[in-house]
Amino acid sequence: MDFEYTLKRSNRKTVAIQIHDGMVEVRAPHHTPIEAIERFIHSKTDWIDQKLSYSIEHTQRRKCFELHYGDHLLYRGELYPIVAKDGDLVGFDDGFYIPPDLSSPEIKEAVIQIYKLLAKRDITARVRVFADLLNLRPSTVRINSAKTRWGSCSAKGHINFSWLLIMAQDDVIDYIVLHELTHLVEMNHSADFWEQVRVHMPDYEERKDKLKVLQQRLNDEDW
């Protein structure tokens, strides 16, 4: 093997391999002999090499991610430039307007601030539209900074959306809004849940595919 790995033992029943941030982690039951673990790893060498190569490349791209004036960013599925504007305010008007002479990390911070404002305004507006359509009333609607979930709904009716969703196309945003509102009726992903989604959005699967494309892009960007 041309790679190192860390071994974590627990009460799990099987051996498993996880690769993230260019590192290989092996998880195994407490009682599994090291020889058996090594044999299992050896049997997965080709798969590990492939995934490890991708993970290292992906991690490097994220580390190199920077924002500069003139770069174009997604907002509701369209690209808009980052533009320097005199003063201390940030905002959006056919572009992300931010103060001049900011460093790359400061540009990123300013852009995220704009994204959050846009997400709160636009996504909340779409929630109102679909809530009226479905005759549903969430307890609260919040915008958060979740990176692994586009949205969530609690048993108490609190709905959350990641501000990253505002980068998606409008039809994709509507899909996530409908998805979370439907959880007010079905707190699971049962056949009944998906049928209710389909009734109001027959092409929801196509919208899910678009969301996957956005996720692939964001995987290489360090937000």
Side-chain angles (χ1 to χ4, degrees):
M1 295 182 295
D2 296 327
F3 53 84
E4 295 182 352
Y5 67 88
T6 58
L7 175 61
K8 291 188 176 181
R9 292 184 180 271
S10 66
N11 292 324
R12 61 179 298 118
K13 296 181 179 180
T14 59
V15 180
I17 299 172
Q18 291 189 342
I19 298 174
H20 51 83
D21 297 332
M23 305 293 292
V24 180
E25 180 179 286
V26 179
R27 299 184 176 185
H30 289 297
H31 58 79
T32 305
I34 190 65
E35 294 82 3
I37 295 174
E38 292 281 355
R39 285 196 301 271
F40 179 79
I41 295 172
H42 182 74
S43 71
K44 301 292 184 181
T45 297
D46 290 343
W47 178 86
I48 294 173
D49 286 341
Q50 180 182 6
K51 296 296 183 181
L52 187 58
S53 175
Y54 171 81
S55 180
I56 292 172
E57 181 181 348
H58 162 69
T59 301
Q60 188 59 39
R61 283 197 297 265
R62 288 180 64 85
K63 287 182 179 179
C64 294
F65 178 71
E66 292 184 343
L67 295 180
H68 306 92
Y69 295 101
D71 286 350
H72 285 69
L73 301 175
L74 285 171
Y75 164 56
R76 292 173 61 174
E78 301 291 337
L79 290 171
Y80 296 90
I82 300 174
V83 182
K85 186 175 183 179
D86 291 338
D88 298 326
L89 300 179
V90 301
F92 183 90
D93 184 10
D94 288 331
F96 295 82
Y97 287 94
I98 63 175
D101 303 320
L102 298 182
S103 66
S104 180
E106 289 171 334
I107 292 174
K108 177 181 173 183
E109 182 179 348
V111 167
I112 290 176
Q113 182 180 349
I114 297 170
Y115 268 135
K116 289 180 177 179
L117 292 171
L118 293 171
K120 183 175 180 60
R121 182 191 70 185
D122 298 351
I123 296 176
T124 301
R126 297 309 295 166
V127 170
R128 287 196 294 268
V129 170
F130 278 90
D132 288 342
L133 174 67
L134 302 173
N135 195 27
L136 295 171
R137 291 293 177 267
S139 300
T140 59
V141 178
R142 297 189 181 98
I143 303 299
N144 61 27
S145 297
K147 295 186 178 182
T148 58
R149 301 181 71 177
W150 297 108
S152 61
C153 178
S154 74
K156 294 183 178 181
H158 303 299
I159 296 181
N160 300 285
F161 298 96
S162 169
W163 64 262
L164 290 166
L165 180 61
I166 202 60
M167 297 185 189
Q169 295 133 300
D170 286 352
D171 60 341
V172 175
I173 294 173
D174 284 351
Y175 160 66
I176 294 297
V177 168
L178 174 63
H179 184 117
E180 299 309 329
L181 282 171
T182 303
H183 278 312
L184 295 175
V185 181
E186 294 284 344
M187 286 298 297
N188 51 50
H189 289 113
S190 64
D192 287 341
F193 170 87
W194 290 114
E195 182 57 30
Q196 291 193 44
V197 172
R198 188 186 304 277
V199 166
H200 298 284
M201 195 172 286
D203 65 339
Y204 80 88
E205 292 184 349
E206 296 174 15
R207 304 187 192 208
K208 285 177 65 177
D209 290 339
K210 290 183 181 180
L211 194 59
K212 292 176 183 177
V213 174
L214 174 61
Q215 184 63 69
Q216 289 173 353
R217 173 175 178 150
L218 294 183
N219 285 342
D220 291 333
E221 299 179 356
D222 184 19
W223 290 103

